[in-house]
Amino acid sequence: MPRPRHLRPSRLLRLLGSSFDLIWMSIEQPSEASRSQLLGNFSLPGEFPTTTRKKFNPSASPELSEAAANSRQKLVKYAADLDLGSLPKHVASSVRDWLVRSATCGLIYQWVDLGLAFWPRWVRQTDCEKSGGEPSCSFPAGMECVRAETALIKILAWHCLENKKGDDGWRRLEADGSDGGTEMRTGQARKKCLWRQMPYPVVTACTCSCK
């Protein structure tokens, strides 16, 4: 595991560069992640501590806003193509608006603590809103909100390779590392450890679809 000298925020911010995004990650424990919330959700061995799930406002991120707008535009088009000619105009308009609202799938999120081997260790994890006993997102019922779009953010992962100094694997690790890394000795083996950027998937949009 990284030692305190490997966890200096100023250095790690330089390594992560423009990939650091406060919308998706936090260096410190978020204020929403109270101790009681963590203890209430951290129940199984090996499970990440998390906060309670909350609705995610898409306006918090340009990417989320664009995805939500595109999704709504598609729903509006589908609703406009429905043949509701037998209904009065104002009733047909209300029905279309209701269908669009019902089929609009929001995002929920929770902060997840990935542990010391990742930086920033707190990441916002998103998913689709579940009906939770509420009516389905479709009419007639039977469809539900599922993941439609994902994006890859970048965080740092502490990566160690046990190898001999002259081997290709060691040289690749040196070439890929943004910093000089550090050498560690465990018994007779030597390890070179450093921070490397890694992709982390997040859900950015959901759609009403068949189960």
Side-chain angles (χ1 to χ4, degrees):
M1 298 298 286
R3 297 168 183 167
R5 64 189 176 90
H6 302 130
L7 296 168
R8 293 196 297 271
S10 58
R11 178 164 168 261
L12 297 182
L13 281 169
R14 285 198 302 272
L15 294 179
L16 196 52
S18 60
S19 296
F20 181 74
D21 189 342
L22 283 171
I23 297 294
W24 296 105
M25 55 194 72
S26 177
I27 299 173
E28 303 294 337
Q29 178 176 308
S31 58
E32 303 164 65
S34 68
R35 180 173 173 78
S36 59
Q37 287 176 318
L38 295 181
L39 292 177
N41 288 278
F42 189 44
S43 54
L44 298 175
E47 195 175 66
F48 292 134
T50 64
T51 64
T52 52
R53 291 176 180 265
K54 297 185 177 182
K55 288 196 71 167
F56 196 7
N57 183 359
S59 64
S61 161
E63 293 84 0
L64 293 181
S65 296
E66 183 179 355
N70 290 340
S71 177
R72 180 174 176 79
Q73 193 173 11
K74 290 178 184 177
L75 290 175
V76 169
K77 185 179 183 304
Y78 292 151
D81 290 341
L82 292 174
D83 183 7
L84 300 178
S86 60
L87 299 175
K89 271 191 174 182
H90 71 282
V91 175
S93 177
S94 297
V95 169
R96 288 190 173 95
D97 289 344
W98 175 78
L99 287 172
V100 170
R101 286 197 308 272
S102 300
T104 298
C105 295
L107 286 173
I108 55 175
Y109 75 91
Q110 59 185 353
W111 285 102
V112 178
D113 182 0
L114 300 180
L116 280 174
F118 299 92
W119 195 91
R121 63 184 291 172
W122 287 93
V123 174
R124 193 193 299 262
Q125 191 178 77
T126 47
D127 207 348
C128 303
E129 275 189 296
K130 303 299 180 185
S131 58
E134 296 297 320
S136 167
C137 61
S138 65
F139 180 82
M143 301 171 76
E144 65 180 19
C145 293
V146 298
R147 299 172 184 179
E149 295 180 30
T150 59
L152 292 176
I153 61 173
K154 287 185 178 179
I155 59 176
L156 298 176
W158 185 245
H159 186 84
C160 295
L161 181 67
E162 182 179 314
N163 216 326
K164 294 180 180 178
K165 185 65 176 177
D167 285 359
D168 289 342
W170 192 298
R171 284 198 294 269
R172 281 198 301 272
L173 186 60
E174 288 179 325
D176 290 344
S178 302
D179 63 337
T182 186
E183 291 186 22
M184 297 181 175
R185 186 178 295 277
T186 56
Q188 296 302 312
R190 285 198 316 168
K191 291 184 178 181
K192 186 174 182 68
C193 300
L194 45 73
W195 290 103
R196 301 175 73 183
Q197 288 193 10
M198 62 161 278
Y200 187 91
V202 291
V203 181
T204 55
C206 298
T207 187
C208 186
S209 183
C210 295
K211 295 181 181 178

